[in-house]
Amino acid sequence: MSATTSPTEDIVPPDPPGEASDAERVQQLRRRLEGLLGIPATEGNELTLLRNGDQIFPAMLEAVRASERTIDFLTFVYWKGDIAHEFAHALAERAQAGVRVRVLLDAVGGRLIDIDLIEHMSDCGVLVEWFRKPIWQGRLSSPFKQNHRTHRKVLICDEKTGFTGGVGIAEEWCGDARNEDEWRDTHVRVRGPAVDGLSAAFAQNWAETGHPLAEEPDTFPDHGHPGSSVVQVARGSASVGWNDMATVFRVMFESATDRVTLQTAYFAPDETFCELMLGAVRRGVDVDVLLPGPHADKRVCQLTSESIYECLVDGGVRIWAFQPSMMHAKIMTVDGLAAVLGSANMNRRSLSHDEEVVMSVFDPAVARELEADFWKDLERAELINPVRWADRPLRQKAKEKVGAALKHWM
C-alpha cells in the first residue's frame, strides 16, 4: 500500500509579509546569529544560485579556467565520469600555466577517484592532498579522527570567486534531475567579502596537510561590494557538545513565524530538532521537508529517516518524497526572508561528526528564489500521508528500528 499522495494545488507559497516588517525581521535574525555565533555577517555580496549539474559545473569550470593566480578546491566526493576528468584536466592546465592550485580530497569520500587523475594533476604541478587517511592507508595523525570527515565543498578562484553547496564531482550530478541518473542539487557562486569565510573553511582543513597556510600568491584582497546580499559563513567541526551548525539551524527554526522549507539528502534529526520542528508547527508555522524518495542512494540512511516520519507527520510536519532522482540539496528557508545553504545535512554526521560549512543569507530575494525552486520540486514529489504511513507493513517498521539504532552515526 502506498504511503504517499500527490501534491495538491493548495500547497503553494503564501504571500510574503509586508516589506516594512521584512527589513526589521531580517536585521533581528542577522543580529541573533551574529551574537550567538560570534561571527559577523558581511554586506555587499553577489550570490548566483546554480540549480543542478547543467548550471553548476559550467560555472565552476569557467571560474577555474579563468583563474590567473590561485585555485583552492576542497571536496568530499570525487568519483568517476567525464566530469571528473574534465575538472582534473582543467585544474592541471591552470597549474601548468603557473597558477598555484591546491586540491584537498576527503580520503573516504574521494576513494573512488581514478588514480590516474591524481597522478596527472600532481605531474602538472597541482598540490593534491588527502584529508585524514584511514589507518589502512597510513598517515592518520589520530585513530579517533577516522569517523570525522570533511564534508565541505568549497572552490575559491583567485581569492575573489567562491562556490559552495552540495555538489560532488561525479557523473551522478550531471544533467538537470530529469531521471534517476541525474541527482538534484544546488550550489551557489559567491563574490564579495563572504568569500573569506569559504577561504577559511578551506584553510582550516588544509592546515592538517602540513603545507603553509599562506604563500606568495595569496594577497588577501579587498573584495569591495559587488552585490547587495548579507551573508554569514559558519564552519562546523566534530564536537561532543553543541556546535555552530546546530546553532544556525536551531535559530532558524526558533525564529520562524510563517513558513519553513527544508531540503536535505540525509535526515536524522535528534529529539531536540524534532521538537523544534513540532514546536514551530504548534506556533502556526508551515513546515515542509523534502527528502529523497525511491532513488535514495543510501537505503539505510533513508530507513533512519523513516523511523521518525510518524512522529513528525502526526505533529503536522509535511514530509515529501522527491520522485525523479536522488535529492541531494541542503537548503533551508525561513519566512521567505532568510536562507541557509551549504554542505550540511539535517543529521548527526553534519551536526556533530564532520567538517561542514554553511552560508546564512539574510536576503529576501535570495530566500524567495530558493523557495520558488522548492515549490517547483514539490511538483515532482509525493506527500507522506499520515494515515497510510501508520498502516505501513510490519516488515518496514522492523527495518526502521534497525535504522533508528544507527541514528547517531548517520
Side-chain angles (χ1 to χ4, degrees), residues 147-290:
N147 184 49
H148 305 305
R149 314 309 316 167
T150 184
H151 193 244
R152 297 172 181 173
K153 290 93 173 172
V154 172
L155 171 66
I156 306 110
C157 298
D158 285 339
E159 302 176 88
K160 285 282 194 176
T161 301
F163 295 82
T164 193
V167 163
I169 308 303
E171 60 188 355
E172 285 84 348
W173 277 275
C174 293
D176 195 27
R178 290 164 293 206
N179 56 58
E180 62 186 281
D181 297 320
E182 302 177 358
W183 288 12
R184 168 74 184 92
D185 218 326
T186 293
H187 236 52
V188 61
R189 181 177 64 204
V190 188
R191 294 191 175 108
V195 173
D196 285 348
L198 299 182
S199 295
F202 175 88
Q204 188 179 43
N205 288 167
W206 185 255
E208 295 192 22
T209 69
H211 291 292
L213 286 181
E215 298 175 290
E216 186 177 341
D218 299 304
T219 62
F220 303 98
D222 183 355
H223 293 281
H225 296 88
S228 58
S229 294
V230 178
V231 177
Q232 181 190 55
V233 180
R235 305 184 302 276
S237 295
S239 69
V240 294
W242 203 260
N243 74 9
D244 286 354
M245 295 297 97
T247 297
V248 169
F249 289 114
R250 179 172 179 171
V251 169
M252 290 293 180
F253 276 121
E254 291 179 339
S255 300
T257 62
D258 184 40
R259 62 193 186 273
V260 170
T261 70
L262 176 67
Q263 293 167 273
T264 187
Y266 309 111
F267 183 68
D270 61 15
E271 291 182 3
T272 296
F273 279 93
C274 286
E275 179 53 34
L276 285 169
M277 285 182 262
L278 294 170
V281 172
R282 289 194 293 269
R283 296 197 307 271
V285 176
D286 290 332
V287 179
D288 288 278
V289 180
L290 180 58

